[in-house]
Amino acid sequence: MMKKSKLLSLMLAVVMLMLVAAGCSDSNSEVSVGIVLPTKDEPRWVQDEQRFKDALKGTDYTTEILFSQGSSAKEKENVETLINKGIDVLIICPQDGDAAAAAVEAAKKDDITVIAYDRLITNTDAVDYYVTFDSLAVGAAQGQYLIDNAKGSNTPLYLYAGAASDNNAFLFFEGAWKVLQPKIADGTFKIANSSEAEALKDKAELSRDELSKIIGQVTTNWDANEAKNKAQTHLTAAMADLKGDVAILAPNDGTARSIADVFGSDSAVSSYLVTGQDAEKASIQYVIDGKQSMTVFKDVRTLVKDAMGMAVEILDEKKPETTGSYDNGNVEVKAKQTNVIVVNKDNVKKELIDSDYYKADDFTGLE
């Protein structure tokens, strides 16, 4: 029969082995790249989750991805969890750009490199990099499409914008205005629905306040119903010389479809050009059917690769490549801008089907 002292010694040895094993487990569970995304309730972010995991394949690095579920408090908690996992790089798409400042400041205190993903974190110096689509380029592409496809001169130009509370809406509109303004000044276009834009038509560079005045008149708040109501109001008030062949700057696909439906149902509108953004499935069908002229395709697969590529360069102690910078209200944040692609009826198959972004059987009438 085993003596009590030997039994106690054996039990102590077992406990010590368990503690050692636990310690090994903890060290193995350290995470290289922590990622915080806004919500699991939207397909975009769930798809990004898998894309981020795929982007690390073939490296020695590990990642953990957490979702904030629309809560800035949960977002801060997620960042703290990842800090405790020993991350070296934090990639975060903020739920709220201002509110996220406290979370990333906690990360910076632990010498963690912070990459803002898709949305800029504002009013803090704790952001090292920003990976984004070039929002000015989105607006410029929309404006240039209208210029390239307008008929004749004095084409009525209807302007619409995103939400006045969204910094990206300002960037989209600013990008469009810079290319459209010379063509407004030379008579190619005449502004149909904004007295504020009419008053500023000779200015190529607009201040934030001047942009606010125009956007305040033509905002859709990114809401399809609001866009529809505004378009109906504008067309009801429009004289005959503001109909015929028209051009429409619509900020994104959801508003573009609503606005297109209104203009398409007015018998005094002979034809219309309407822009969009996001390459939503419903709008791709509209493009195929000739109801929407174009959309700006922002391939989130590329955005993920750019963000994770930057993270790996940091982990490899290399200096990431950047292509510009953004003022976040506190510092100029170095940025990697991902290219955008104009999609219309002519290249929709090449850009969206052949690239495996969508399947051909998602649409009808595709040639």
Side-chain angles (χ1 to χ4, degrees):
M1 189 172 179
M2 185 180 291
K3 290 182 180 179
K4 283 185 180 180
S5 59
K6 286 188 175 180
L7 183 59
L8 283 170
S9 297
L10 184 61
M11 288 174 67
L12 191 60
V14 170
V15 169
M16 288 179 69
L17 280 169
M18 288 173 68
L19 288 171
V20 169
C24 291
S25 176
D26 283 343
S27 65
N28 289 336
S29 67
E30 283 192 1
V31 176
S32 312
V33 183
I35 300 171
V36 179
L37 298 176
T39 178
K40 211 165 189 174
D41 295 334
E42 294 176 21
R44 153 75 196 277
W45 306 114
V46 177
Q47 290 166 356
D48 275 12
E49 177 185 26
Q50 188 56 51
R51 288 168 182 151
F52 272 119
K53 290 176 180 175
D54 292 344
L56 265 193
K57 284 179 181 173
T59 75
D60 294 328
Y61 301 119
T62 56
T63 188
E64 183 165 337
I65 303 170
L66 301 175
F67 292 87
S68 303
Q69 294 307 106
S71 164
S72 292
K74 178 66 174 172
E75 180 176 82
K76 191 169 187 297
E77 183 184 307
N78 285 339
V79 171
E80 288 166 354
T81 297
L82 292 168
I83 291 170
N84 291 332
K85 292 285 183 84
I87 62 170
D88 294 307
V89 179
L90 172 67
I91 297 174
I92 175 170
C93 180
Q95 175 63 34
D96 177 301
D98 274 346
V104 297
E105 282 162 8
K108 284 305 292 180
K109 283 177 184 174
D110 271 32
D111 294 323
I112 294 165
T113 303
V114 176
I115 301 172
Y117 173 72
D118 204 29
R119 299 174 185 166
L120 186 58
I121 299 166
T122 49
N123 296 312
T124 179
D125 62 359
V127 188
D128 296 287
Y129 298 101
Y130 178 33
V131 176
T132 181
F133 292 106
D134 186 341
S135 297
L136 287 169
V138 171
Q142 292 174 331
Q144 192 62 48
Y145 190 90
L146 297 179
I147 291 168
D148 292 343
N149 292 278
K151 296 180 180 179
S153 61
N154 285 317
T155 299
L157 174 64
Y158 289 82
L159 301 170
Y160 297 95
S165 60
D166 182 355
N167 186 59
N168 276 353
F170 279 78
L171 294 172
F172 298 143
F173 195 89
E174 181 185 354
W177 181 264
K178 281 181 179 177
V179 298
L180 286 170
Q181 186 274 333
K183 293 300 180 179
I184 296 169
D186 74 7
T188 301
F189 296 109
K190 56 183 176 182
I191 296 167
N193 66 329
S194 170
S195 58
E196 295 289 356
E198 178 65 24
L200 293 163
K201 68 180 181 181
D202 293 323
K203 291 192 70 172
E205 297 282 338
L206 298 181
S207 69
R208 181 80 175 195
D209 285 345
E210 288 168 336
L211 285 165
S212 290
K213 288 177 181 177
I214 300 174
I215 291 172
Q217 276 193 328
V218 301
T219 178
T220 63
N221 283 315
W222 300 123
D223 182 89
N225 285 327
E226 190 163 336
K228 178 183 176 182
N229 292 338
K230 198 152 274 186
Q232 286 173 334
T233 300
H234 293 156
L235 272 186
T236 299
M239 304 296 285
D241 66 330
L242 295 178
K243 295 192 178 182
D245 298 319
V246 305
I248 307 159
L249 178 73
N252 73 341
D253 285 349
T255 58
R257 294 193 301 276
S258 288
I259 294 167
D261 289 345
V262 172
F263 278 79
S265 63
D266 190 318
S267 59
V269 174
S270 312
S271 70
Y272 64 86
L273 298 167
V274 62
T275 63
Q277 173 184 187
D278 293 329
E280 292 181 2
K281 277 186 184 179
S283 274
I284 297 308
Q285 189 62 61
Y286 263 49
V287 168
I288 294 166
D289 295 340
K291 295 180 182 178
Q292 183 174 327
S293 310
M294 61 84 84
T295 185
V296 179
F297 173 40
K298 302 184 299 186
D299 192 341
V300 292
R301 297 172 300 183
T302 307
L303 195 68
V304 166
K305 286 178 185 174
D306 283 351
M308 196 58 94
M310 181 177 279
V312 169
E313 285 177 329
I314 292 162
L315 292 166
D316 288 343
E317 299 183 350
K318 296 175 183 174
K319 188 175 180 180
E321 177 191 348
T322 55
T323 56
S325 67
Y326 286 77
D327 183 353
N328 81 341
N330 188 302
V331 292
E332 286 284 327
V333 182
K334 293 176 183 177
K336 174 72 184 290
Q337 296 163 316
T338 300
N339 290 332
V340 297
I341 300 166
V342 171
V343 172
N344 62 15
K345 199 169 185 176
D346 295 334
N347 69 345
V348 63
K349 184 174 182 297
K350 173 180 176 288
E351 298 296 350
L352 296 175
I353 308 303
D354 295 348
S355 71
D356 294 325
Y357 195 81
Y358 289 135
K359 295 177 181 176
D361 58 13
D362 288 336
F363 309 102
T364 58
L366 187 66
E367 294 178 1

